[in-house]
Every structure is written in structure tokens, then in C-alpha cells.
């Protein structure tokens, strides 16, 4: 079972991520798959990813200050970070989310 | 959009030096700036497919927005599970029905492999292969398979899978509409099971019909044979009567009478056998077992069959144990009948001047009686059937010898009724036959009933006893009465219950012999009334009935009968009882000494 990452109350779960997508379009689909791939590879067992259709979750999207889909939001740990696009640039995402420690540019 | 405002709520460290705080704030601002740049870049380069403007979501594929929304609603409303996945089988869409069917949440499963949602197996070995081929060739397939979701729950599904293509016609994955058809499958299975059960019932019916037809055919053949066998003796009887009418010569009359007697005897045999078979098959035969010397029983059987053995000029060898050494608990009449039957067969199916060998011995706690002949034998394939009712070995031969093919069935039934067994052996056609009867030996010490060893005792004629014979069959009553008169008794006949009681009142019989099924008043009732007449306490009441079951005997006793005889009455046994009663009356009439 590869489900541990999805369990909401996992003890080692310290990354809480939310991915806003726009239905089952090719781009959004790709974004979900890529995001899942990245986190399974680098944060296995330490993350929870929630995939939300932006059309069904307008209020929450506004609260999260989303301007477009697909957008990934890192809710925890702080600081809150957003990443937009099809999630194909793994290195950039990892860096942005603070998974890979790099000196800030 | 006020991203900076948002970030300002996140102070870095409360007691950090100003420089550190400023540095952190700077980093945060840089990050936010980067995010904003990236967002703009993404929008410019078309890396987004929806925009949030105010309270509205703008789908960038606006041309298809309305139909997309409709499609989405339709998929959400569908009862069937809908799952879309890319070419690497990553799930990109699941509807509510799919969530229910696989007990997973969409948010949790998106981006994961389809195999994490369910495992698929194919009832048809080529199911998977042909599905893949159909998808490649026509972009579509519909197939029946079994899905197993997490927790091992499995169900039958019918999947309709079609290729998903992008605007350029490139395959981007598949859309599967998956219907749970477990109910339908189990219903179909139930129907199939019911149908196969029905087929079995049909087959059994056909088989039993076939058996019935076969039995019917055998019955027809049997009836034809029976008619033939019954008619056979009639011709010589008619001829003999004709001869007697034409001449008065004593010698010729004597010959003709001999013919009639012999032919009649054959008919009686035939009818007796038939009645026996019928009674045994209905369980109406009761054995009158007694301890008997087997050597004597065999001797009696040999005497019974002597005429046939002599007629065939056969040589008979007897190997018997010393008298009184081999004791069996049997119905002597029945076992004599069995052995005589086998001996008759041996005599009939052995060509003139053959050999017949009879032996009786003790073998393995059993009495073993063997009757072996040098006759026509039995073909090996027919050996297992020889004891079957109406199944003649060789119809033409059997006919030539005169018989119905029920003798051996009778033998088997009677032996088995005794708890014994009978086997047939033959080396083949023309090589003779051997029949072996096994009977259980008595455990008890040998105590012979006098009746067995001695031959038939002749009753002492009496001039004094008065016998009332009651039977509604006038011929029966008259012939029995005539017979008794020849033994020296005085007789009177009556033909119904009321007449019987009236006769008893005026005739004062010593013995009343009553049929049970009488007109006007039953034999039971007549017996009660006769018994209650003054002076009739010592009257001997004898029941004469077609039925010999224990229940019938009990009823007779209850009505006051002293004995119960089964028709046709054995004159021998009847006269024995009469003589006994006579002695009893005589002893009673004498003044007791002292």
C-alpha cells in the first residue's frame, strides 16, 4: 500500500499541500501526476496532498489567494508557498517548498 | 491581491536581532516576488488552464467551457463509476460513483496508479489481450472482468473503455465507465445452475422413461409368453377329452386321463410360480422357519424333481452329509421349492443322458448346496442376468423347454428371504452350469422337528367328525367338502355368512372351516356368532383366507379362530389339524382315570 502519505493523521506527516486544478484537463491531469511523483520520491510518508477542483472550491481558492490553476500551495510548514504550472520542474518546486536547502537567491 | 500583507503576518523570530529580522523579511519578499513573477510567466506561457477573477473562475478553454461543465455534471451524476487515467495509468479523474465503488477519495487517488484503486482479473483467459487489441485498433472496448479493491472486496464489472485524445488527436489516456454487474452475474449463475439442474432432472426423467418403456416391453413379451405357456397344455387336454368322448376303451381313457393330469400339473406349477413371485415382490411371503436337516430337505427336493430327471435319463450323483449333521433354520417347503426348481432346470437344460451332481456341505459357517449339470451352460455375458425377473437367457431355448423365465428370480428371492445367497457359474455355452446356494447355519443345537425327517403322515380316518365348510365359491366349497368326505369326515357346505351361522345352529359341527370374505356376513362375524352358540365352546374354528400376513392372522385370532389357513389350503396340514382335534375330543370324552 502506498497510501500512508494520504493518511490525514500520520505522525511523520509534516508537509501539508493543496493542489488546485481545473477539472480533468490535460494540463491539470499532468500537474496532479507530476506533483504526486515528486512528493512520493522526496517526501514519502511525510506529506499530505489534497487535490481540489478550483471550480468547486472557489471560496477556498480565494482565501488561499489563488489566481490560476493548476496551483500548488504549501500550507505547512511555514512559510506558506505557492507554485503555479504543470509541476514538471521538480527541482524548482523542491527548492521553492524548502525541501532542498539552497541559499536564497 | 495583497501578497505582501499576507507575509507580514509571519514575523521570523521574536527576539532575533534587527539584522536577522530584516534579512528574513527580505528573503520572504524575494520569494513572494518570485511567486508573482512565476505566476505571470505561467499565465503568459499558457501553463494555466483557469484563472480566478473576482468571485469567478474562468476556464481558459472557453470555447468548450459550457460543454465541459455539462460533461462534468453528467459524469458526477452517473451511477456507474468513471475513472480517467493517462497513458501510464495515472488516475486523472474519478467521479463520485467511483469513490463509492472503490471506497477511496478522489483527492487522495488523483495522480496515483490505477492499480492502487483496483486490481483487475479476467474470467476469460484472453480477456485482457483482446481488450488491449480492441483499444489499439478501434480506440474502444467493452469487457467483463473482476475488480478487487483494497480490503480484498471483489466484484464483477462491465467496463466500457475509450481512448482520450487531445485536440491534436494524440492519445492522452483512457476513460473507463465501470458498472458493477455482480448482481446480474450472480443472477445469471443462479439461472445457469437452475438450468443445469433442470437438465439433470430431464435426463433422469428420460432415463426413467426409457426404463419404463423397457419394463413395458418386457412385460408385453412376458404376457405373450405367458399366454403361450398357458395355451400349450390346453391343446393336449382338449384332445384328450375329445378322445374320451369318442371311445370307451378303458386303456385309452386311462392314457387320456394321464395326459390331462400331467398338463394340469404343469399349469398349476406355472400359476404357483407366478403367485409366489408376486407375493414375494410385495413382501407378502412369511417364512415358517424350523430347524431342519439339510440332507433330508435335499432328498425331498430330489424326489420332487425325480420325474424330470428320469425323463431325461440323467445320471444323478448325490453327495450329502450324514443325516442330522447339517442343520439349517429354514422354511422347509420354500427351500425344497428352491432346490427342486434348480434341479428341474438342470434336468431341462441338460441333453439326454447327462450328469447332474448335487452336493451339500458345511463351508465357512454356511450350508453350501451345489447343483451342477453337464448341460447347455450359460454364455458369460448373460451370467449376471440369469436371476432377473422375466429375463430369459435364451428365449427360443426357454420356449422350447417350456417356462416363463421366472424360476430363477423366484429362487433368488426365496434364498435371500432366508438371509442366504445364490450364484450361477458356467464355463460357457455347452459346458454345463452350476448353481450354488448358501444358507446360514443355525447357531442353536440341532433339534429336529419330526415333520422334516418323516415323510407325509397320513391322517387317521374318522367316521365321527362333522365339518362345516363355508365358501362363497361353490366349487371350492364342494370340492374341499368332497375331499374331506373321502378322508372319512361328514361335511355340510354353506355359501354365505348368514347361512353358515344357521347351519351351525342346526348341524352342530365339530369343525367349522370359514372363508373370510363372505357375502351377507363376514367370516369374522360369522365365527364370533358360531362360537357364541350354546355348546360350541370346543368347536374347532378354522379361517380360510387369501391373505396370510401377521395382521390377518391377528384378526382371525381376535374373532375366535383356532387356526388360520392361507389359500390354497394344504390338505395335508388341514387334515393334521383335524386329526389332532379329533384326539382332543376323544381324550376329553373319556373319563379321566382316577
Amino acid at each position: 500500500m502506498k497510501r500512508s502519505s494520504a493518511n490525514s493523521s500520520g505522525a511523520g506527516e509534516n508537509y501539508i499541500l493543496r493542489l488546485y486544478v481545473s477539472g480533468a484537463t490535460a494540463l491539470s491531469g499532468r500537474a496532479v501526476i507530476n506533483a504526486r511523483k515528486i512528493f512520493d520520491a522526496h517526501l514519502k510518508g511525510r506529506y499530505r496532498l489534497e487535490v481540489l477542483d478550483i471550480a468547486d472550491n472557489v471560496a477556498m481558492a480565494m482565501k488561499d489567494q489563488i489566481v490560476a490553476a493548476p496551483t500548488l500551495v504549501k500550507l505547512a510548514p511555514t512559510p506558506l508557498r505557492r507554485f503555479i504550472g504543470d509541476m514538471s520542474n521538480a527541482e524548482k518546486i523542491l527548492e521553492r517548498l524548502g525541501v532542498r536547502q539552497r541559499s536564497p537567491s | 491581491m495583497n501578497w505582501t500583507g499576507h507575509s507580514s503576518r509571519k514575523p521570523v523570530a521574536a527576539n532575533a536581532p534587527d539584522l536577522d529580522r530584516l534579512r528574513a523579511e527580505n528573503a520572504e519578499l524575494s520569494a513572494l516576488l518570485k511567486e508573482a513573477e512565476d505566476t505571470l510567466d505561467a499565465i503568459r506561457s499558457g501553463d494555466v488552464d483557469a484563472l480566478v477573477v473576482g468571485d469567478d473562475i474562468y476556464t481558459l478553454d472557453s470555447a468548450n467551457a459550457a460543454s465541459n461543465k455539462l460533461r462534468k455534471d453528467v459524469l458526477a451524476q452517473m451511477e456507474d463509476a468513471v475513472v480517467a487515467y493517462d497513458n501510464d495509468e495515472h488516475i486523472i479523474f474519478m467521479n463520485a460513483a467511483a469513490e463509492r465503488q472503490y471506497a477511496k477519495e478522489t483527492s487522495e487517488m488523483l495522480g496515483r496508479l490505477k492499480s492502487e484503486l483496483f486490481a483487475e482479473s479476467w474470467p476469460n483467459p484472453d480477456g485482457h489481450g483482446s481488450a488491449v487489441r480492441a483499444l489499439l485498433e478501434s480506440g474502444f472496448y467493452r469487457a467483463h472482468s473482476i475488480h478487487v479493491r483494497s480490503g480484498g472486496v471483489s466484484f464483477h464489472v462491465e467496463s466500457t473503455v475509450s481512448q482520450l485524445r487531445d485536440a491534436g488527436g494524440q492519445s492522452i489516456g483512457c476513460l473507463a465507465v465501470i458498472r458493477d454487474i455482480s448482481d446480474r452475474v450472480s443472477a445469471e449463475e443462479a439461472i445457469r445452475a437452475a438450468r443445469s439442474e433442470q437438465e439433470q432432472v430431464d435426463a433422469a426423467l428420460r432415463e426413467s422413461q426409457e426404463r419404463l418403456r423397457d419394463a413395458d416391453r418386457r412385460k408385453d413379451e412376458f404376457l405373450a409368453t405367458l399366454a403361450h405357456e398357458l395355451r400349450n397344455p390346453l391343446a393336449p387336454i382338449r384332445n384328450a377329452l375329445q378322445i374320451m368322448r369318442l371311445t370307451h376303451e378303458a386303456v385309452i381313457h386311462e392314457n387320456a386321463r394321464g395326459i390331462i393330469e400331467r398338463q394340469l400339473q404343469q399349469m398349476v406349477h406355472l400359476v404357483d410360480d407366478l403367485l409366489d413371485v408376486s407375493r414375494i415382490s410385495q413382501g407378502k411371503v412369511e417364512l415358517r422357519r424350523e430347524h431342519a436337516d439339510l440332507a433330508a430337505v435335499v432328498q425331498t427336493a430330489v424326489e420332487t424333481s425325480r420325474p424330470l430327471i428320469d425323463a431325461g435319463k440323467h445320471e444323478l450323483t448325490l453327495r450329502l452329509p450324514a443325516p442330522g449333521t447339517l442343520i439349517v433354520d429354514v422354511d422347509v417347503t420354500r427351500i425344497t421349492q428352491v432346490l427342486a426348481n434348480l434341479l428341474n432346470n438342470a434336468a431341462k437344460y441338460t441333453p439326454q443322458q447327462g450328469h447332474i451332481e448335487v452336493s451339500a456341505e458345511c463351508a465357512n459357517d454356511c450350508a453350501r448346496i451345489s447343483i451342477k449339470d453337464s448341460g447347455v451352460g450359460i454364455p458369460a455375458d448373460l451370467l449376471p442376468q440369469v436371476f432377473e425377473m422375466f429375463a430369459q437367457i435364451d428365449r427360443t431355448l426357454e420356449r422350447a423347454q417350456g417356462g416363463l423365465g421366472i424360476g430363477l428370480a423366484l429362487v433368488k428371492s426365496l434364498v435371500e428371504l432366508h438371509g442366504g445367497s445364490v450364484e450361477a457359474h458356467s464355463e460357457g455355452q455347452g459346458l454345463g452350469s452350476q448353481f450354488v446356494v448358501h444358507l446360514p447355519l443355525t447357531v442353536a443345537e440341532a433339534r429336529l422337528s419330526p415333520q422334516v425327517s418323516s415323510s407325509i403322515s397320513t391322517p387317521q380316518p374318522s367316521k365321527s367328525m362333522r365339518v362345516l365348510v363355508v365358501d362363497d365359491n361353490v366349487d371350492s366349497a364342494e370340492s374341499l367338502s368332497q375331499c374331506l368326505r373321502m378322508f372319512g369326515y361328514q361335511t355340510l357346505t354353506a355359501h354365505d355368512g348368514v347361512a353358515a351361522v344357521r347351519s351351525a345352529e342346526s348341524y352342530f359341527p365339530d369343525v367349522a372351516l370359514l372363508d373370510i370374505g363372505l357375502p351377507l356376513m363376514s367370516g369374522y362375524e360369522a365365527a364370533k356368532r358360531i362360537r357364541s352358540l350354546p355348546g360350541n365352546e370346543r368347536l374347532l374354528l378354522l379361517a380360510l383366507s387369501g391373505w396370510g400376513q401377521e395382521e390377518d392372522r391377528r384378526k382371525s385370532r381376535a374373532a375366535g379362530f383356532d387356526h388360520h389357513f392361507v389359500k390354497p389350503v394344504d390338505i395335508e396340514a388341514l387334515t393334521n389339524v383335524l386329526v389332532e382335534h379329533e384326539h382332543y375330543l376323544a381324550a376329553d370324552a373319556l373319563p379321566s382315570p382316577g
Side-chain angles (χ1 to χ4, degrees), chain B residues 235-449:
Chain B
I237 289 173
R238 182 183 279 166
N239 292 343
L241 287 170
Q242 193 68 21
I243 290 166
M244 289 171 89
R245 193 185 298 153
L246 290 175
T247 178
H248 293 286
E249 250 181 78
V251 181
I252 295 176
H253 265 224
E254 187 59 28
N255 273 342
R257 203 182 51 76
I259 291 170
I260 293 170
E261 257 180 16
R262 280 193 300 279
Q263 296 302 323
L264 193 66
Q265 191 54 41
Q266 195 179 328
M267 289 183 81
V268 168
H269 255 293
L270 217 61
V271 173
D272 280 352
D273 274 2
L274 274 175
L275 284 176
D276 274 347
V277 166
S278 153
R279 280 203 212 108
I280 291 172
S281 67
Q282 293 173 60
K284 280 182 182 161
V285 165
E286 278 176 29
L287 296 179
R288 267 167 271 178
R289 284 174 183 267
E290 54 188 315
H291 288 171
D293 181 0
L294 189 61
V297 176
V298 175
Q299 286 283 11
T300 311
V302 168
E303 288 322 306
T304 310
S305 302
R306 182 64 77 182
L308 268 176
I309 297 168
D310 287 349
K313 299 193 174 72
H314 301 309
E315 188 190 337
L316 178 72
T317 313
L318 274 177
R319 284 195 290 112
L320 298 179
T325 56
L326 203 54
I327 308 301
V328 284
D329 188 29
V330 297
D331 185 323
V332 172
T333 315
R334 293 307 193 176
I335 291 302
T336 307
Q337 186 185 359
V338 162
L339 299 178
N341 223 323
L342 292 173
L343 274 165
N344 286 347
N345 271 353
K348 274 200 292 188
Y349 295 114
T350 300
Q352 292 266 313
Q353 299 184 327
H355 297 277
I356 298 172
E357 198 179 300
V358 180
S359 68
E361 61 192 340
C362 178
N364 298 331
D365 297 332
C366 267
R368 178 182 185 274
I369 308 119
S370 157
I371 294 167
K372 194 174 178 181
D373 64 50
S374 61
V376 296
I378 306 162
D381 56 326
L382 292 175
L383 263 178
Q385 304 169 24
V386 294
F387 294 109
E388 266 175 40
M389 180 94 103
F390 306 148
Q392 290 175 317
I393 298 166
D394 182 335
R395 199 159 291 281
T396 51
L397 185 64
E398 185 79 24
R399 280 217 178 124
Q401 297 297 329
L404 286 170
I406 56 174
L408 287 177
L410 191 60
V411 163
K412 183 168 189 272
S413 306
L414 284 173
V415 169
E416 285 177 355
L417 213 55
H418 279 86
S421 65
V422 58
E423 307 152 12
H425 303 281
S426 176
E427 296 294 317
Q429 205 143 15
L431 297 173
S433 315
Q434 184 188 18
F435 286 84
V436 179
V437 176
H438 287 100
L439 290 171
L441 284 175
T442 47
V443 193
E445 207 44 40
R447 251 190 37 229
L448 297 190
S449 101

Side-chain angles (χ1 to χ4, degrees), chain A residues 1-3 5-6 22 24-25 27-29 32-33 36 40 49-51 53-56 58 62 65-70 78-82 84-85 92 96, chain B residues 1-3 6 10 28 31 34-35 38-39 42-43 46-52 54-55 57 59 72 86 90 92-93 104 107-113 116 150:
Chain A
M1 294 290 280
K2 296 179 183 174
R3 288 194 47 195
S5 62
S22 167
T25 63
L27 183 67
S28 287
V32 176
I33 292 162
R36 191 70 79 183
D40 273 346
L49 174 66
E50 192 179 7
V51 182
D53 190 322
I54 196 166
D56 297 334
V58 181
M62 290 183 69
Q65 303 189 344
I66 303 301
V67 292
T78 52
L80 185 135
R81 287 285 181 267
R82 298 177 192 77
I84 195 162
K92 207 169 173 186
R96 179 70 59 78
Chain B
M1 267 173 279
N2 183 5
W3 292 359
H6 174 82
K10 307 265 177 202
E28 182 67 13
K34 193 83 183 75
E35 269 183 25
D38 284 353
T39 302
I43 293 170
D47 268 355
V48 298
D49 52 12
L51 284 174
V52 184
D55 291 354
I57 305 297
T59 306
K72 222 182 110 199
D86 72 358
H90 292 105
I92 52 180
F93 176 82
K104 297 272 194 187
S107 165
E108 175 196 320
M109 292 312 295
L110 287 178
R112 293 186 187 279
L113 287 171
E116 291 181 55
S150 66

Side-chain angles (χ1 to χ4, degrees), chain B residues 79-292:
Chain B
E79 292 288 329
D80 294 337
V82 179
V83 178
Y85 45 89
D86 72 358
N87 286 326
D88 297 323
E89 301 202 326
H90 292 105
I91 296 166
I92 52 180
F93 176 82
M94 269 172 68
N95 70 349
E99 287 188 314
R100 286 194 296 275
Q101 184 157 302
Y102 297 104
K104 297 272 194 187
E105 279 176 33
T106 305
S107 165
E108 175 196 320
M109 292 312 295
L110 287 178
R112 293 186 187 279
L113 287 171
K114 185 183 73 165
S115 59
E116 291 181 55
L117 193 61
F118 59 81
E120 188 164 33
S121 65
W122 301 82
N124 178 354
D126 190 39
H128 183 62
S130 56
V132 169
R133 278 195 300 280
L135 199 58
L136 281 174
E137 284 162 17
S138 60
F140 169 87
Y141 79 81
R142 176 173 293 154
H144 171 195
S145 64
I146 295 166
H147 282 188
V148 186
R149 71 176 195 213
S150 66
V153 180
S154 75
F155 38 91
H156 289 265
V157 297
E158 188 186 69
S159 305
T160 308
V161 178
S162 48
Q163 286 272 14
L164 286 175
R165 295 182 192 282
D166 63 13
Q170 283 299 305
S171 164
I172 55 166
C174 291
L175 181 74
V177 179
I178 305 158
R179 174 169 294 184
D180 183 344
I181 56 165
S182 293
D183 288 351
R184 194 178 88 198
V185 169
S186 54
E188 280 168 0
E189 270 165 12
I191 288 169
R192 254 198 307 281
R195 197 172 292 151
S196 108
E197 199 172 302
Q198 184 60 44
E199 275 164 13
Q200 275 170 15
V201 169
D202 285 352
L205 259 176
R206 271 196 299 278
E207 198 178 306
S208 88
Q209 246 172 3
E210 194 53 48
R211 270 204 304 275
L212 278 176
R213 258 199 294 276
D214 191 51
D216 192 47
R217 186 181 51 73
R218 283 204 297 189
K219 184 208 71 191
D220 285 347
E221 281 176 11
F222 169 72
L223 284 177
T225 313
L226 179 62
H228 179 84
E229 289 304 321
L230 287 175
R231 208 171 43 213
N232 259 352
L234 291 179
I237 289 173
R238 182 183 279 166
N239 292 343
L241 287 170
Q242 193 68 21
I243 290 166
M244 289 171 89
R245 193 185 298 153
L246 290 175
T247 178
H248 293 286
E249 250 181 78
V251 181
I252 295 176
H253 265 224
E254 187 59 28
N255 273 342
R257 203 182 51 76
I259 291 170
I260 293 170
E261 257 180 16
R262 280 193 300 279
Q263 296 302 323
L264 193 66
Q265 191 54 41
Q266 195 179 328
M267 289 183 81
V268 168
H269 255 293
L270 217 61
V271 173
D272 280 352
D273 274 2
L274 274 175
L275 284 176
D276 274 347
V277 166
S278 153
R279 280 203 212 108
I280 291 172
S281 67
Q282 293 173 60
K284 280 182 182 161
V285 165
E286 278 176 29
L287 296 179
R288 267 167 271 178
R289 284 174 183 267
E290 54 188 315
H291 288 171

